[in-house]
Amino acid sequence: MKYTVPLKQNHEFRRLYNKGKSTVSPYFVIYCRKTGRPVNRLGITTGVKLGNAVKRNRARRRIRELYRTHEQKLSAGYDIVVVARTRVIYGRFSDLERSFVQQMKKLGLILPKDKVFSPGTQSTGKPVVCGPKGDKSQ
């Protein structure tokens, strides 16, 4: 997750639960809130209801992978918290992915196809070329 930092503080999670926008699916609940930072911050919550530590870690890994594969399509400057539900452990990954993308669209976090960020490009989509002295020229 190159363009994301972890969300760790309890008060940051609580702020998102209270003031953030949310969307619900059978696999997870996603909360988000615009922050204006240059990167996104991601928090993943897996409750004890999901099962033992092995199952909770599996749920976290699956959610992290979903986020990682779609990270370049997401707008920057948001705090995002994903709360895992029981079905995330046993559901097919393709179903999880479809649900994740659908929820991100509903929250307005997915960029239009022409604005997708890729490394080595500016926000305009033009490649960044460095001249002999390291200055950016186009």
Side-chain angles (χ1 to χ4, degrees):
M1 296 189 300
K2 290 181 178 180
Y3 314 105
T4 305
V5 294
L7 195 64
K8 293 182 178 179
Q9 298 295 316
N10 189 20
H11 67 89
E12 294 169 337
F13 279 85
R14 282 196 320 253
R15 183 184 312 130
L16 271 172
Y17 295 145
N18 292 328
K19 297 187 178 183
K21 292 192 297 183
S22 66
T23 180
V24 180
S25 83
Y27 303 106
F28 26 71
V29 181
I30 298 179
Y31 296 89
C32 78
R33 186 169 188 230
K34 189 157 182 66
T35 59
R37 295 173 191 259
V39 294
N40 286 337
R41 296 191 304 171
L42 177 68
I44 300 172
T45 303
T46 53
V48 179
K49 275 185 177 181
L50 285 179
N52 61 13
V54 174
K55 291 179 182 174
R56 292 193 306 268
N57 286 330
R58 176 180 164 88
R60 278 188 218 114
R61 283 195 311 270
R62 295 184 99 188
I63 291 170
R64 253 194 316 268
E65 180 62 16
L66 281 171
Y67 183 85
R68 188 191 67 78
T69 55
H70 295 285
E71 183 177 27
Q72 292 181 343
K73 299 176 190 173
L74 301 178
S75 302
Y78 284 88
D79 283 352
I80 302 166
V81 170
V82 182
V83 180
R85 293 178 135 188
T86 310
R87 290 189 189 179
V88 79
I89 299 168
Y90 303 109
R92 289 195 335 231
F93 194 78
S94 60
D95 294 339
L96 293 172
E97 192 168 25
R98 189 178 321 109
S99 177
F100 182 80
V101 170
Q102 186 178 19
Q103 286 184 285
M104 289 298 181
K105 282 181 183 173
K106 191 182 282 188
L107 290 169
L109 293 179
I110 293 203
L111 293 170
K113 288 186 180 181
D114 59 334
K115 300 272 185 180
V116 172
F117 177 78
S118 62
T121 63
Q122 295 174 336
S123 59
T124 60
K126 296 179 183 176
V128 176
V129 180
C130 292
K133 295 181 182 177
D135 58 344
K136 293 179 183 176
S137 60
Q138 296 171 359

